[in-house]
Amino acid sequence: MKDMVIKSKSETNPLYGSIPEDRPIKEYISKGIINLDKPSGPTSHEIDSWVKRILNCEKSGHGGTLDPKVTGVLPIGIDNATKSIQLLLTAPKEYVCLMRLHDDVPEGKIRKVFKEFTGKIFQTPPVKSAVKRELRAREIYYSTIYEIEGRDVLFKIGCEAGTYVRTYCHNIGEVLAVGAHMAELRRTRVGSFSEKSNLSTLQDLTDSYHFYLEDNDESFLRDCIVPMERAADHLPKIIIRDSAVDAICHGADLAAGGIVSLSENIKKNDLITIFTLKGELVASGISLFDSEDILSADSGIMINTNRVFMATGIYPMLWK
């Protein structure tokens, strides 16, 4: 993993756990995420239900709801991965949007206003939203105009989680004094899940599962599904020694002695993820210290565990 610094040396026992990519196929599926290309029409919850039927699994859940008419990247967690998919709710998002202005505006003015709508902006969520309607700040990382044709503006936007592109278009229309609305929207990225990485349709998933059942060929399923660990790609990480894993799985907080390496950019109160030496996602938690303080600590609790993703008993109980 890049940008990691070593705190102590440790080796992992091959008898316990597994490198995520090497999990047996049934475990691989139950701890997997599908980078699904959502079609226009169905709700995100309907997509969940269809995936559950296709794979004959017990649970499925999506990371970041898309409106029925919106297409694009919709990560779907399967069975045990439905917990980890929640980590994507805080991940940065990217969209390609077609905005329609309600009157003619000079191209130069449009481009000038778009530049003003980057960096920190303020939004009030739309009436039809699942959150409280109050003014809040959101970061727009970039906003690139692809094409302007008449009153239609095609652009790409990279933004903080919780940004409403519909509201973004409406607010630009207000500043331009002509009004505007979102005509079409496609999500192209959620965290590290993008159009260019293992994007699969429902038909791809169906075909892959049939190849597995009928021909015992699991290669296509492994192309459609990625390990649940990918949901944490955008978050700071801490790697722990084997002897600390089961304690964390039982909900214990992470002490300094259990840490092998960590991301160099951790800040106090950051949400961080905890991994085994084999790269398995164990839990998430809130950091009580900066990276520098964690590196120099010989004892004490460093991370307050807030969510556990790995089952108990996979690693030996060495903490009593």
Side-chain angles (χ1 to χ4, degrees), residues 235-260:
L235 294 169
K237 296 169 178 58
I238 285 183
I239 311 300
I240 60 175
R241 57 183 77 247
D242 286 5
S243 57
V245 174
D246 198 60
I248 302 299
C249 292
H250 278 86
D253 294 328
L254 178 60
I259 298 173
V260 175

Side-chain angles (χ1 to χ4, degrees), residues 72-304:
V73 174
L74 182 68
I76 304 283
I78 309 163
D79 287 339
N80 296 321
T82 54
K83 285 184 182 180
S84 66
I85 203 79
Q86 299 303 309
L87 295 172
L88 287 171
L89 297 180
T90 63
K93 311 293 193 296
E94 181 186 84
Y95 300 87
V96 172
C97 177
L98 179 65
M99 179 182 73
R100 186 154 295 145
L101 301 170
H102 298 167
D103 206 343
D104 297 331
V105 179
E107 182 173 320
K109 187 175 181 181
I110 296 171
R111 294 186 181 276
K112 182 172 182 274
V113 169
F114 262 83
K115 288 181 180 179
E116 294 172 359
F117 273 75
T118 55
K120 182 180 287 188
I121 66 168
F122 293 89
Q123 289 190 329
T124 300
V127 175
K128 292 183 179 179
S129 64
V131 298
K132 187 176 181 181
R133 296 196 71 231
E134 58 185 12
L135 191 66
R136 56 187 189 171
R138 284 296 179 267
E139 189 76 20
I140 305 300
Y141 307 120
Y142 53 87
S143 184
T144 305
I145 294 177
Y146 283 142
E147 186 178 357
I148 300 174
E149 186 173 317
R151 298 180 182 180
D152 289 338
V153 182
L154 182 67
F155 67 94
K156 177 175 70 176
I157 179 175
C159 53
E160 183 182 354
T163 303
Y164 287 91
V165 183
R166 188 183 304 277
T167 303
Y168 184 83
C169 292
H170 174 79
N171 292 347
I172 285 178
E174 285 187 325
V175 172
L176 289 171
V178 296
H181 68 274
M182 183 184 81
E184 293 181 34
L185 186 67
R186 178 172 177 81
R187 188 159 67 189
T188 52
R189 181 180 295 275
V190 178
S192 64
F193 292 86
S194 75
E195 287 189 314
K196 299 178 181 179
S197 59
N198 299 84
L199 189 66
S200 302
T201 64
L202 287 166
Q203 189 60 55
D204 292 334
L205 186 64
T206 302
D207 292 344
S208 298
Y209 193 62
H210 280 293
F211 283 133
Y212 164 59
L213 290 181
E214 296 170 9
D215 302 330
N216 200 30
D217 184 349
E218 59 190 57
S219 62
F220 294 99
L221 264 184
R222 289 185 183 270
D223 285 340
C224 281
I225 300 171
V226 299
M228 66 182 189
E229 282 73 12
R230 288 283 307 281
D233 282 353
H234 64 291
L235 294 169
K237 296 169 178 58
I238 285 183
I239 311 300
I240 60 175
R241 57 183 77 247
D242 286 5
S243 57
V245 174
D246 198 60
I248 302 299
C249 292
H250 278 86
D253 294 328
L254 178 60
I259 298 173
V260 175
S261 61
L262 61 149
S263 296
E264 62 181 5
N265 60 340
I266 294 174
K267 302 298 181 187
K268 184 178 179 180
N269 296 321
D270 273 357
L271 175 66
I272 62 93
T273 47
I274 301 171
F275 281 77
T276 69
L277 284 158
K278 296 183 183 71
E280 302 152 293
L281 177 62
V282 181
S284 63
I286 303 300
S287 179
L288 302 179
F289 300 93
D290 294 349
S291 295
E292 295 81 3
D293 296 326
I294 297 173
L295 275 172
S296 61
D298 294 323
S299 61
I301 299 300
M302 300 291 106
I303 307 295
N304 278 344

Side-chain angles (χ1 to χ4, degrees), residues 62-74:
H62 58 271
T65 302
L66 290 178
D67 289 342
K69 290 184 179 179
V70 179
T71 66
V73 174
L74 182 68

